[in-house]
Amino acid sequence: MRALVLSAALVLAAVFAPAAHAADSRLHITAGGTPDQPRVYSGAGKSVSGIDVDADWVILDGFTLDEPSAPGVEIRGNHVTLKNSRITAPHGGDGDGIRFFGDYIAIEHNTISKTVNRDGAHADCMQTFSSDSPPSNHIRIERNRCEKIDNMCLMAEGPNDGQGDGKGHTTDFLIKDNFCETLVASQTLMFEDVQQATITGNTFAAGPDHAIGLAIHSTGARVEGNRVDPSIPCEVGIDDSSREGYVGPEPACAP
């Protein structure tokens, strides 16, 4: 697998030149922008076999990833936006569609589908954790479709969940207007040691025992206006350590 390192100035001219960017090429972005002028990488629907971001102030727009190496997209940076992209059937590793690490990350208008728990994988639509990786803060996940996901639509773990490195905090998540279809896991969204999550306007399709899990001091959560398939018996599962500041439907089960 080749990793392609490209500056934004080259993207439209060179990223998809047939000789340099066949479908088996993984895009590696290391050149970022500034608050006034973020770097825009425009895919225009073209195919790459994965994307790694190691930069700040980046916008990724309109990429197609068919059967990429997992995670299909991995973001390590601040002020990064991924939008209007499609990730289908990621494979290898833990099978995740997207992993993200950093602050002020936006994931919007994407479709991620067919993550499979093959060979011991826990294949989530999206995941973040803090174990020798930066904690994630000020995250917006909006109007995405997670379709035919074996594991969770979002697994978010903070640095103090018992497996993290104990450095910093993971806070301020907005999960809004997404479609989430979990086929195997017990919950669709799982938060461990994540504070101040707002979960609103989402559609939780059939499959899990409960839609949302809040555990290990995931305090200050707000849950409202979600559509829960009648086959899901519990919208919110919560443990005692996460009840402080909770606003939403009465939790009806464990996380």
Side-chain angles (χ1 to χ4, degrees):
M1 185 68 67
R2 292 173 293 160
L4 305 178
V5 183
L6 300 164
S7 71
L10 294 175
V11 168
L12 293 179
V15 147
F16 301 117
H21 294 273
D24 64 348
S25 301
R26 190 171 180 98
L27 181 62
H28 189 190
I29 293 173
T30 58
T34 66
D36 294 331
Q37 191 171 11
R39 296 266 183 145
V40 178
Y41 292 80
S42 180
K46 298 292 184 177
S47 294
V48 293
S49 69
I51 302 174
D52 296 312
V53 180
D54 289 289
D56 300 335
W57 297 102
V58 168
I59 297 173
L60 304 168
D61 186 2
F63 288 88
T64 299
L65 294 78
D66 289 322
E67 299 186 4
S69 297
V73 176
E74 182 163 318
I75 297 168
R76 291 178 180 269
N78 302 320
H79 300 279
V80 177
T81 296
L82 171 67
K83 62 181 182 179
N84 301 324
S85 296
R86 178 177 291 272
I87 304 168
T88 306
H91 63 88
D94 221 21
D96 296 332
I98 299 169
R99 283 187 176 180
F100 59 91
F101 309 94
D103 295 345
Y104 298 100
I105 293 172
I107 300 170
E108 57 187 22
H109 294 281
N110 304 288
T111 298
I112 304 94
S113 61
K114 300 180 181 178
T115 69
V116 179
N117 288 348
R118 184 181 293 116
D119 299 326
H122 296 84
D124 300 312
C125 181
M126 307 178 203
Q127 185 184 40
T128 188
F129 51 86
S130 185
S131 179
D132 297 323
S133 54
S136 298
N137 298 278
H138 315 300
I139 306 300
R140 180 166 57 86
I141 298 173
E142 186 171 2
R143 287 177 284 179
N144 302 282
R145 291 189 65 86
C146 293
E147 302 172 347
K148 295 180 173 62
I149 304 299
D150 266 8
N151 221 52
M152 286 168 268
C153 285
L154 173 64
M155 179 69 208
E157 300 169 275
N160 302 292
D161 72 338
Q163 300 183 49
D165 57 20
K167 299 176 182 178
H169 299 279
T170 296
T171 63
D172 187 23
F173 279 50
L174 174 63
I175 316 298
K176 181 179 180 183
D177 295 340
N178 301 283
F179 174 86
C180 294
E181 182 181 28
T182 289
L183 302 179
V184 177
S186 296
Q187 60 281 105
T188 298
L189 307 179
M190 187 66 204
F191 299 89
E192 295 182 351
D193 185 40
V194 178
Q195 292 79 49
Q196 306 300 323
T198 298
I199 305 161
T200 181
N202 302 285
T203 297
F204 298 118
D209 299 326
H210 51 288
I212 302 163
L214 300 167
I216 313 177
H217 302 285
S218 292
T219 55
R222 297 182 63 90
V223 178
E224 60 184 5
N226 299 293
R227 293 169 291 280
V228 181
D229 189 275
S231 67
I232 301 174
C234 173
E235 181 173 0
V236 179
I238 196 169
D239 67 6
D240 288 342
S241 73
S242 303
R243 286 186 174 271
E244 181 180 349
Y246 171 78
V247 176
E250 181 61 28
C253 58

